[in-house]
Amino acid sequence: MNFIKKIIPMKDFTLKSLMTFEKTPLNILMFILTIGLLGAFGWGVIEYLIHSHHAYNVTREHPWGLLIAMYIFFVVSSTGLCIVGSLGDVFGFKDYMAMSKRAILGSIVTILAGFAVIAFEIGHPVRMLIYNVLSPGLTSAIWWMGTLYGIYLTFMIIEFIFLMRNDMKNARIFGLTGLLVGLAAHSNLGGVFGFLNARTISNGVFYPTYFILTAFITGIYLTYLMYGFRYKMNFPEEIKKGLIGLAKIQTLLLAILMFFETWKMMTGIYGGMPGRADVVEHILHSGGFVYGEVLCGMLIPFVVMLTTKWKSINLYVYASFIGMIGIFFMRYDLVHDTQVKPLQMMKLTEYQLPPKWIEYFPSAAEFAIGFGAIGIFFMLYYFGQKMFDLDGGDH
Amino acid sequence: MARYGMALDYKNCINCKACEVACKEENGVELGAEKHRIWVGGNNPEGAWPLLDMASASFLPSQCQQCDDAPCQEVCPTHATYYDENGVVRVDADKCILCSYCMNACPYDARYVDERTMTVDKCTFCSDTRLARGETTTACQNTCPTKVRTFGDLDDPESEISELLRTRDHFSLKAHLGTKPKLFYLT
């Protein structure tokens, strides 16, 4: 342990101190929630190991489901927290200096949760590690995304070590490199969808840029939630200043996102192009988009922040929670809407109607693994808080 | 070295589905409606019973289009999908990680998961079976009672398929996507 402490400064802790916490109602709720989610994750994994992909409701026509959506949810969160963390230690904005350590830890644990999900979605994760190196598909956005995320995680860990050592010069170097690699990885994730010529609703430049924008938004929502929980709504002055600044940035980002979304839908529907316009109409009539993405993800937080003129930090914590629900729907809808239009429009068996829309609803195992990974995030973040001094950093 | 393709005189198709059965039998394709390498698409006849216009019902046999510029090959992160020496798009099951990106990228819905190997499978023009035994036809072509399919080497000007493509008008599915399919529908 002393050897590790020489590399990365840690608090003094014992196994007992790691397992004990102040018994406030919120802490107990979070404890029960975390245990429940971890239990669900474990059950989902057992279901997967017994039944393989039969445990999931993915089909030939809808091969990507909730687990892909949750993977995206986590890696978007990671990139977002990396951007927020970089504001202070990379770009030197003094108001955000104190947030770097916590945000970078958050970015590390969210991507680990994402990797935990994708490990049970990919059919052969070990084979992936081998042939990613031995037989790289350089024209594949998935190859670039996966490889760059691996490098990104390495840089994030190195940056975190330097942050904990208060070596701001090296933290800045690795932070900037990690941020650039992370942005490249994340836009490649958008490219995974953007390169799909067969799926006109997703094909094009929108997703690679949209992913970066929504990552920043997600990062700010999560920063609010992490600090709301950390300080139980009694924020110290140096954190308040940063959070107010983030709320202002968030309002601007949400305005840009709404502008982007409006034009995506308008250009999608204009001209009535089959396979695109009908899908846009379908999306506009879906509850997930209207109530999830628009109302929770964009409008409510935007209106709350705009009308309170960036003064009600406590309110923004609740708005950020609602915002994160919206972010989940953004990820889920992105995956589902890409595949909702059948590629094969003729009927293949007798006594059926030609397909109109592809139906998909996640199985219990998909819910368990996908949402259970939130428990992994909670657990890793909790241990991170216990082991490292994440407060301060205004150097 | 050949460049295999297939011409389909699809208007002759009577939807007997013998091709689907022959494909499953020859290539050991799993049972189940979702597990198919080839298929026959159909539309319902127009009109209301008993006044159905049976002539309006049409059938479109299809399968992997063996694209010259295959999206499934481009998106594969481990080169599990590759072109063999005859230009046939194949899957190396040992390299497939089942990320399903190819299934999403294929514009023709021509791929499915083989649950015995948990890898993606697709039409191979019977490369592992009939062609490997030295035969010159695919199972679907061989069994078709109305001779819808003609399989052969597109680079051989004397082949039956080359002759058909020279003398008959034809089209390809979703050609606007730039995939350059090697399946040709004769009109």
Side-chain angles (χ1 to χ4, degrees):
Chain A
M1 188 54 83
N2 282 339
F3 172 72
I4 297 173
K5 279 187 176 175
K6 271 183 193 165
I7 298 171
I8 178 165
M10 288 172 161
K11 291 180 191 171
D12 288 324
F13 61 86
T14 60
L15 200 57
K16 192 181 172 193
S17 73
L18 281 181
M19 297 297 174
T20 50
F21 56 87
E22 198 186 345
K23 304 287 184 295
T24 63
L26 184 61
N27 284 352
I28 292 170
L29 176 71
M30 286 303 292
F31 173 74
I32 294 169
L33 192 61
T34 306
I35 294 296
L37 288 170
L38 287 174
F41 186 84
W43 175 80
V45 168
I46 291 168
E47 277 290 294
Y48 172 74
L49 293 177
I50 294 172
H51 302 292
S52 187
H53 271 61
H54 283 294
Y56 304 155
N57 278 352
V58 290
T59 58
R60 175 182 185 135
E61 293 82 14
H62 199 294
W64 286 346
L66 178 69
L67 296 191
I68 292 285
M70 287 308 288
Y71 168 71
I72 297 171
F73 176 83
F74 283 118
V75 298
V76 168
S77 303
S78 175
T79 313
L81 286 168
C82 169
I83 297 171
V84 171
S86 302
L87 291 174
D89 74 332
V90 174
F91 298 108
F93 292 105
K94 291 216 177 318
D95 290 351
Y96 309 108
M97 284 281 189
M99 295 177 172
S100 292
K101 288 176 183 170
R102 194 172 296 274
I104 298 302
L105 175 75
S107 81
I108 293 168
V109 297
T110 42
I111 202 165
L112 289 175
F115 286 165
V117 174
I118 205 71
F120 296 102
E121 205 285 336
I122 295 278
H124 302 281
V126 177
R127 193 181 288 177
M128 177 186 74
L129 296 175
I130 297 167
Y131 284 106
N132 220 34
V133 178
L134 295 185
S135 178
L138 300 181
T139 54
S140 170
I142 280 193
W143 186 87
W144 284 101
M145 181 265 295
T147 308
L148 289 170
Y149 266 130
I151 299 169
Y152 158 82
L153 175 61
T154 311
F155 280 119
M156 284 299 99
I157 292 171
I158 297 172
E159 181 191 6
F160 184 68
I161 291 171
F162 281 121
L163 277 173
M164 295 312 297
R165 293 165 69 110
N166 288 326
D167 182 348
M168 299 314 282
K169 190 183 164 207
N170 280 316
R172 184 161 184 257
I173 293 166
F174 284 96
L176 179 61
T177 318
L179 175 67
L180 293 175
V181 175
L183 291 176
H186 202 54
S187 52
N188 264 288
L189 180 55
V192 167
F193 294 88
F195 286 148
L196 291 173
N197 286 352
R199 315 280 186 170
T200 43
I201 189 66
S202 300
N203 181 225
V205 72
F206 183 76
Y207 280 136
T209 47
Y210 162 91
F211 266 47
I212 303 296
L213 176 64
T214 53
F216 201 173
I217 290 170
T218 310
I220 294 177
Y221 282 151
L222 278 176
T223 305
Y224 260 92
L225 291 177
M226 289 193 301
Y227 276 102
F229 185 73
R230 165 68 183 89
Y231 291 110
K232 308 288 183 284
M233 305 297 196
N234 295 314
F235 302 100
E237 273 313 309
E238 73 269 18
I239 295 297
K240 252 186 195 173
K241 219 172 168 187
L243 288 177
I244 287 170
L246 285 180
K248 288 177 182 171
I249 296 172
Q250 186 76 319
T251 316
L252 174 67
L253 294 176
L254 287 171
I256 296 170
L257 179 61
M258 286 188 277
F259 183 77
F260 274 23
E261 284 277 2
T262 306
W263 275 106
K264 177 185 159 62
M265 296 303 170
M266 296 248 280
T267 51
I269 214 160
Y270 187 81
M273 181 180 161
R276 195 175 68 186
D278 46 350
V279 176
V280 172
E281 274 188 52
H282 183 76
I283 293 170
L284 291 175
H285 287 95
S286 71
F289 177 75
V290 177
Y291 303 112
E293 291 191 45
V294 176
L295 211 58
C296 293
M298 296 183 252
L299 263 184
I300 293 176
F302 179 75
V303 170
V304 166
M305 288 177 186
L306 200 65
T307 51
T308 52
K309 298 193 172 151
W310 310 287
K311 283 173 190 160
S312 311
I313 296 178
N314 293 7
L315 195 56
Y316 303 159
V317 176
Y318 298 112
S320 295
F321 180 73
I322 295 169
M324 283 308 291
I325 294 171
I327 294 290
F328 162 74
F329 279 102
M330 282 183 200
R331 305 302 155 229
Y332 181 81
D333 289 351
L334 153 81
V335 173
H336 178 58
D337 295 341
T338 296
Q339 303 167 97
V340 76
K341 181 78 179 175
L343 293 169
Q344 172 59 256
M345 293 302 289
M346 298 180 102
K347 61 175 188 159
L348 300 184
T349 55
E350 294 307 312
Y351 314 116
Q352 70 168 72
L353 293 170
K356 196 165 182 209
W357 300 111
I358 303 291
E359 303 284 340
Y360 166 75
F361 191 77
S363 68
E366 285 174 287
F367 275 118
I369 294 177
F371 289 126
I374 297 173
I376 294 180
F377 164 66
F378 286 160
M379 180 188 71
L380 293 176
Y381 179 71
Y382 167 79
F383 285 130
Q385 279 201 123
K386 285 273 185 180
M387 292 160 73
F388 304 108
D389 179 15
L390 302 174
D391 298 323
D394 189 0
H395 304 283
Chain B
M1 291 266 284
R3 189 169 151 264
Y4 287 133
M6 186 176 272
L8 295 99
D9 205 349
Y10 74 100
K11 287 178 186 169
N12 285 351
C13 178
I14 55 172
N15 197 24
C16 67
K17 300 198 188 284
C19 52
E20 292 185 18
V21 176
C23 174
K24 285 213 174 198
E25 176 66 23
E26 181 69 65
N27 296 296
V29 176
E30 274 180 290
L31 295 177
E34 209 184 50
K35 314 290 181 191
H36 51 256
R37 289 186 178 185
I38 68 172
W39 62 90
V40 178
N43 59 352
N44 288 322
E46 290 167 11
W49 192 86
L51 303 173
L52 292 171
D53 176 11
M54 294 311 291
S56 68
S58 61
F59 307 110
L60 193 75
S62 197
Q63 61 201 67
C64 167
Q65 304 289 304
Q66 305 293 356
C67 307
D68 265 341
D69 200 349
C72 56
Q73 191 273 338
E74 280 185 344
V75 302
C76 180
T78 57
H79 281 310
T81 296
Y82 66 101
Y83 301 103
D84 74 7
E85 65 277 13
N86 297 318
V88 179
V89 180
R90 306 278 297 275
V91 177
D92 181 345
D94 289 337
K95 286 186 185 172
C96 178
I97 61 170
L98 194 59
C99 65
S100 309
Y101 197 10
C102 55
M103 292 170 72
N104 252 320
C106 171
Y108 307 101
D109 192 15
R111 291 170 161 252
Y112 71 99
V113 178
D114 184 329
E115 303 202 2
R116 293 163 302 190
T117 56
M118 287 312 287
T119 55
V120 172
D121 191 32
K122 62 178 285 297
C123 166
T124 63
F125 275 158
C126 294
S127 293
D128 291 328
T129 50
R130 297 177 68 86
L131 298 192
R133 293 197 299 266
E135 296 185 46
T136 54
T137 58
T138 61
C140 51
Q141 176 194 10
N142 196 47
T143 199
C144 181
T146 54
K147 299 205 180 306
V148 167
R149 296 159 194 265
T150 304
F151 169 77
D153 183 1
L154 296 168
D155 283 347
D156 176 6
E158 304 300 318
S159 66
E160 191 183 352
I161 187 172
S162 296
E163 176 68 16
L164 272 174
L165 296 179
R166 261 198 309 274
T167 55
R168 301 266 306 265
D169 285 339
H170 52 269
F171 66 91
S172 299
L173 299 182
K174 301 187 182 180
H176 64 283
L177 293 176
T179 53
K180 300 179 191 154
K182 292 202 287 285
L183 253 67
F184 305 94
Y185 289 80
L186 304 171
T187 55

